[in-house]
Structure formats: C-alpha cells, structure tokens
Amino acid sequence: MSPGVQSIADLTTETKPTSGEIPPPLVGASTVVVDNFMYVFGGRLVSSRQMTNHLYVLNLTTLVWKRHIPPSDSTPAPQARYFHTANTYKNHMVVFGGMGHASNGASQDLCALDDVCLLNIQTMTWTYPEIVPNQYTPRPRYAHLAVTAEDKLVVMGGQDMANQYVKEINVLDLKTFMWVQCCPLDSQYGAYRSVACSLPASDPSIRSSLGQDLGTGQSLLTSQLPGNDDLAVCVYSNYNFADVVRDLHALHPLQPTRQAGFKDHSTEMSGTALPPGLRFPTGHLLGHHMILTGTYLTPTHRSFHIWALNLANLVWMRIDTGSMFSTGSWSRGVLGDNSQMFYVLGHKDRDLLDDYNRRQVNFDHVAKVDMEAFGIYLHPSSTCAPIAQELGLSMLNEPTILAQRWNYFAKLLEESGTSSSSAIRFDEQQQPPHRTLMFPESYAVTLAFLQYIYTDHLMTAQQHQPHILSRLLILADMYAMPRLIQLATHALHQILTISTASMVYETAALTCRTALQIRALRVMINAKKMLQQQQQ
C-alpha cells in the first residue's frame, strides 16, 4: 500500500476457525441459517465420492459444529443427495430434488429427484408430505434454483440426467402441499450460473420502495398482479465467462400468462463496475439489495467476490473486504437470519483453484462480513399506519402515553410512589401537583424526542435534521430504547454525506454503532483522497 493511501476494508471482516464435529469437504451440500444456527445437509464426500444425507449444525455464536443423528425411533433422514435445494419456511427447512441413487437395487445408478422433504427445526425431525401428482408436478432435476415466499415453494430450472436444462418453473403451495402452477422458461437457470431471491409481499416497508421500472414507473418486483397472489422472484444469471453475459429477470409465476409474469431488466443494470463472471454463485436479499457472491477465476486471478445490487436503481456495488478473500479457499456465502451479518465458509490455508476443480466446499473457517458497514441492512419496519402517527402527534399533551412508551419515565414515577394514571388525576377543588423533569436537551431535541415517543417513528422534518438525529441516537443509547436506536441509526445512514460524516462518526463512536462508524470513516477517507487528487 502506497504512503498516504488508507484502507479500512479489513475492519468489516473477521475470520475465525470452527471446532467440534466439522463437516468433511463436500460437493453440492445445502446451507441455510435459521435463528443463530447454520444447517448443512447432504452433499457428496470429496474423499470417497459417496453421497451423504448427514445433517450438521453450526452454532454461529460459539462456532462449534455438531452432527445431528436422528434417534433410532424417529423418522429416517431423506435419501442421500447432492445439488439439491434447501429453503426455510416458518420453522422448517424444505428440501427439494437433487441427484441421488436410484431405488431399484442398483446402488450405483444415479437419478434426478423430485421429492419434497421437511425438517422441523424445533424438534429436529423429518417429515415427508403426501403430494398427489397433477399437471403441475415438476420434472426431476438437480442443480436448480428454489425460493420460498408467500407460503409457496418456487422451483426453477436445473438439469436432468441428460444434462439438459429443465426450462420450467413450478410452484408448490406449502399450506396444502399441492403443486399449483407450472409454466415454461425461455432462459437456462441453474446453480452453476444463476441465483434467485424472493421478496415477501408482507413487508411493505421494503416492497414500497424497490426498483422502479424505468419505462413504466412500476416496481421491479412489485408490478400490479391480478388477484391477491403477489409472488415475485428476482433471478440473476451470468455465463460465457470469457466475455461475461449478465441477465436480470423479474418473475411473477402465479400470473396467468408467461408474458405477464416475466420482465427482462438486463440492460438496465449499471455501476462504476459490474460483477465479473462468478461461478457457483449464491444470492440473498438484504434490505433493498440483492447480495451476490461467488468464485472468480481467471488465469491470473482467483478470489471470492461479494457484490450488491441496489434494487431501487439497479446499480451494482463491490463489497470491498480488503485482503481477506485474496488467499485461502472460500466458496459458500450465507446470510444470517434477520440480521446484517454475512457468513462465508471455507478454509483459509487451502488453494481455491484446487478446491474449485473438485467443486469442494470446506467448513473449517468462517469469515463474517458486517454488511451494514456498506449501508446494506434491514430497514426499520413501520409499526402503525401514517394516520395513527398523525394522531400521536396530536396527543403530545397527554402525559399517560409518556409513561407507557418511555420506561425511564415510568420508573421515575414508580420510585416516587406515583402511578402514571394518578400522576395526572387530581380533585377539581385542588391545585394540580407540580412535578418537574430535568431533561438537559434543547427545545428542538426535546420536541423531536417526544414526537418519537408519541408516534413510534421519526416522521417529521424536525426529527431528520442531522444534529437532531445525532442527539436522538445518543438519547436512545442512554435510555436503552432499541426501537429509537434502530430508527436513528437508519436515518443517520440515509443522511451520511461528506458534510455530515464527521458528526455521524462521532455519534456512532459514542453509541457503539460500529458499522455506522466504519461507513462514516470510509466517507471521510474517500473525501480526503478526492482532495489529494485535486491538489496534485
């Protein structure tokens, strides 16, 4: 690194070894995260080329692996397989398809699978729903894509045993366990080249602001659908790695016609740089971004890449993790459950090219990347309708709400032997009791704080002034108010510019908001670089 050039990329990533019953190197295993645990199922053993149906669980706090062995009297695990899919649905892991051994007695005969298996995460037991075949039943396949959303499992693409792409998309209703849709695909979707992510319609705070169609003003993933089945899927593919081609498609598989449910956004993607061809990519949705990871291999370069596509404007951004992934063998990225933490599995001392040639995934080390440090995180959800927020603003003179919404104030009343209700009730013949709360803030900050207390939101222009937001975050940290911490941190992310970076940095440091602090520091360093370049 040349003198005067600074980098903070390494602050966003840390690598730690795992321990316990570490899974052996595997090919085509599935990985999902539920709560604070990562589940690895199936795959083919690199050492013996045998398929497995073993289940391994990683505690993401202790980083200790444990192999789960079902009790002898419980339902057996599914048949061994690899290049299947595993998705989460409520408290279950849903496994579909893959490649396994035929059940005709010839153990070496391979076949593509089309079964659905469920693992209850709470009881750690397997179940096999009875699904009656119909005209929508999918063809057997492996190396396909699958997502869960709106109580549906959507299965796309993949390959059959003749290594031909399966050009169809199938939808399983997870409430009734009936296949309810099957429609053709013109594109070739597969685990070697494509990723898919779904967007739940139940989260309006995300859906309302996702990418607008540049031609029609419609949202990339939320165009108006007939009926109530607003199921949307985003698929990104890259192929022809020597001269990479990038496709971005929005699908609404429950629409009555394929033309109505398909939109090609490939030409609308932009950015200062675009992702290179990434092999065996994975994709996840975090906030308003699709996280894309994969292995980048050229004759002169080999590393693991992380990119993010802003679905609001279809602009790509490279996630700069410094030198962390420039050495070692990293090959599988998994997003934490309801968190901003991104986990990458691998081995820090192995050779990436050697492992890629074997399609090998290692589980000996975990790298953790805090995506919030790049401005990518779960945005705070709305807790009430705008009209209810307006009503809250009109009730600023109602002191009972103050005690109900602010624990510190309620505790003060309790210590004084006065309840929140009796504190404001008095006989009409008596003078009202006089109580004073010393609140060492300016009127503007106090008003903004009370507006939050009475609305549970930051909704006024007053609250969104940078110096007000700074004080609100400090107050939220001081009085242990998680909701206000989340709202104020999000708002400070939104107003972070060259002119506000130093203030945001100081506020984040005082309140231990490390990701916000790192992001503000990055803005200041980039500003310094720009100034140095202008002076040269």
Side-chain angles (χ1 to χ4, degrees):
M1 184 177 297
S2 60
V5 178
Q6 299 165 282
S7 174
I8 59 171
D10 292 329
L11 295 177
T12 63
T13 307
E14 62 174 339
T15 301
K16 292 185 176 181
T18 63
S19 60
E21 299 174 283
I22 301 174
L26 294 170
V27 178
S30 62
T31 51
V32 299
V33 174
V34 179
D35 294 330
N36 195 47
F37 296 90
M38 181 184 297
Y39 299 83
V40 174
F41 173 71
R44 192 194 73 201
L45 296 170
V46 174
S47 58
S48 63
R49 300 185 63 84
Q50 291 183 342
M51 293 188 198
T52 176
N53 62 354
H54 295 169
L55 176 65
Y56 294 88
V57 183
L58 175 66
N59 185 314
L60 293 173
T61 299
T62 63
L63 296 183
V64 175
W65 286 100
K66 182 178 180 180
R67 181 185 166 190
H68 173 72
I69 301 177
S72 57
D73 59 347
S74 66
T75 305
Q79 73 175 89
R81 66 190 65 205
Y82 75 153
F83 288 119
H84 53 281
T85 53
N87 302 89
T88 58
Y89 173 67
K90 295 183 177 180
N91 63 333
H92 288 81
M93 180 175 74
V94 183
V95 174
F96 174 81
M99 183 184 292
H101 291 299
S103 56
N104 57 6
S107 61
Q108 296 305 312
D109 290 346
L110 297 176
C111 68
L113 305 174
D114 61 356
D115 56 339
V116 177
C117 319
L118 276 71
L119 173 70
N120 187 312
I121 298 298
Q122 295 178 343
T123 63
M124 295 300 289
T125 56
W126 289 96
T127 57
Y128 304 92
E130 294 186 10
I131 303 177
V132 178
N134 58 28
Q135 68 268 34
Y136 304 125
T137 299
R139 293 160 53 191
R141 66 192 72 189
Y142 70 96
H144 51 280
L145 308 179
V147 298
T148 49
E150 306 306 306
D151 300 313
K152 306 290 192 301
L153 172 70
V154 183
V155 177
M156 296 161 284
Q159 294 177 270
D160 58 22
M161 290 309 297
N163 291 328
Q164 298 298 310
Y165 277 96
V166 179
K167 294 186 177 181
E168 69 177 21
I169 180 170
N170 306 78
V171 181
L172 175 69
D173 189 320
L174 292 171
K175 288 184 175 181
T176 63
F177 286 103
M178 293 179 58
W179 292 101
V180 296
Q181 179 66 292
C182 176
C183 52
L185 283 173
D186 291 331
S187 302
Q188 297 178 343
Y189 295 159
Y192 308 125
R193 55 192 274 170
S194 310
V195 301
C197 61
S198 61
L199 187 65
S202 58
D203 194 343
S205 66
I206 296 177
R207 277 215 162 199
S208 61
S209 57
L210 275 179
Q212 298 297 309
D213 184 326
L214 302 181
T216 66
Q218 290 183 330
S219 170
L220 167 62
L221 298 177
T222 58
S223 58
Q224 295 298 316
L225 303 179
N228 297 320
D229 291 319
D230 192 4
L231 176 62
V233 179
C234 179
V235 180
Y236 173 84
S237 301
N238 61 185
Y239 48 95
N240 293 345
F241 294 132
D243 185 16
V244 64
V245 177
R246 306 172 186 86
D247 291 339
L248 180 66
H249 300 153
L251 307 174
H252 297 277
L254 292 181
Q255 286 199 13
T257 63
R258 181 180 63 189
Q259 290 74 17
F262 178 87
K263 180 69 176 179
D264 190 345
H265 295 269
S266 304
T267 62
E268 299 167 19
M269 295 182 289
S270 63
T272 55
L274 298 178
L278 299 180
R279 303 164 193 267
F280 288 96
T282 61
H284 303 81
L285 186 72
L286 176 56
H288 293 183
H289 290 78
M290 181 182 71
I291 309 301
L292 172 71
T293 68
T295 301
Y296 177 47
L297 289 175
T298 71
T300 59
H301 186 86
R302 61 185 72 168
S303 66
F304 184 82
H305 275 221
I306 305 178
W307 290 76
L309 176 65
N310 187 333
L311 294 176
N313 53 21
L314 301 187
V315 174
W316 282 103
M317 174 179 67
R318 169 81 185 274
I319 303 302
D320 183 6
T321 55
S323 60
M324 185 62 63
F325 299 125
S326 60
T327 59
S329 176
W330 305 95
S331 53
R332 178 66 60 86
V334 189
L335 180 65
D337 186 12
N338 198 34
S339 79
Q340 284 77 245
M341 195 61 66
F342 196 85
Y343 302 92
V344 183
L345 297 167
H347 195 298
K348 69 181 185 66
D349 298 321
R350 290 188 58 85
D351 183 77
L352 176 61
L353 181 59
D354 289 346
D355 286 347
Y356 173 78
N357 289 335
R358 301 185 186 94
R359 308 297 191 258
Q360 171 177 332
V361 177
N362 303 293
F363 304 91
D364 302 79
H365 295 90
V366 172
K368 299 193 295 183
V369 183
D370 189 347
M371 300 302 294
E372 187 185 348
F374 300 91
I376 302 172
Y377 54 92
L378 292 169
H379 291 197
S381 59
S382 178
T383 57
C384 59
I387 190 172
Q389 300 172 35
E390 294 289 347
L391 179 62
L393 288 180
S394 68
M395 299 176 66
L396 288 180
N397 292 326
E398 296 289 337
T400 52
I401 296 179
L402 189 62
Q404 293 171 356
R405 296 281 184 86
W406 188 14
N407 292 336
Y408 175 79
F409 186 71
K411 185 177 180 181
L412 287 179
L413 293 179
E414 182 181 351
E415 291 175 349
S416 67
T418 307
S419 68
S420 60
S421 57
S422 64
I424 64 166
R425 292 199 307 264
F426 52 89
D427 190 89
E428 293 182 356
Q429 304 296 325
Q430 298 176 345
Q431 291 293 324
H434 178 72
R435 299 181 183 275
T436 302
L437 172 65
M438 299 301 298
F439 195 69
E441 295 289 344
S442 67
Y443 173 79
V445 173
T446 304
L447 177 60
F449 182 74
L450 289 174
Q451 288 172 338
Y452 160 73
I453 294 292
Y454 281 75
T455 65
D456 205 36
H457 290 76
L458 300 182
M459 57 173 293
T460 67
Q462 174 88 3
Q463 291 172 312
H464 283 271
Q465 296 179 34
H467 69 283
I468 299 291
L469 287 173
S470 174
R471 294 306 305 168
L472 287 177
L473 181 54
I474 291 174
L475 289 171
D477 181 69
M478 182 186 306
Y479 294 115
M481 305 171 74
R483 168 73 176 171
L484 182 55
I485 289 176
Q486 186 184 31
L487 290 170
T489 300
H490 169 62
L492 286 170
H493 272 295
Q494 300 301 302
I495 59 99
L496 180 57
T497 62
I498 293 176
S499 60
T500 62
S502 60
M503 182 204 67
V504 172
Y505 177 87
E506 181 180 359
T507 303
L510 291 172
T511 56
C512 299
R513 310 305 296 170
T514 305
L516 178 60
Q517 183 183 5
I518 293 173
R519 188 166 178 239
L521 179 59
R522 181 181 291 109
V523 171
M524 291 190 288
I525 290 177
N526 290 338
K528 178 181 177 181
K529 290 180 180 179
M530 290 174 56
L531 182 60
Q532 290 175 339
Q533 292 172 357
Q534 292 173 358
Q535 292 174 346
Q536 291 177 354

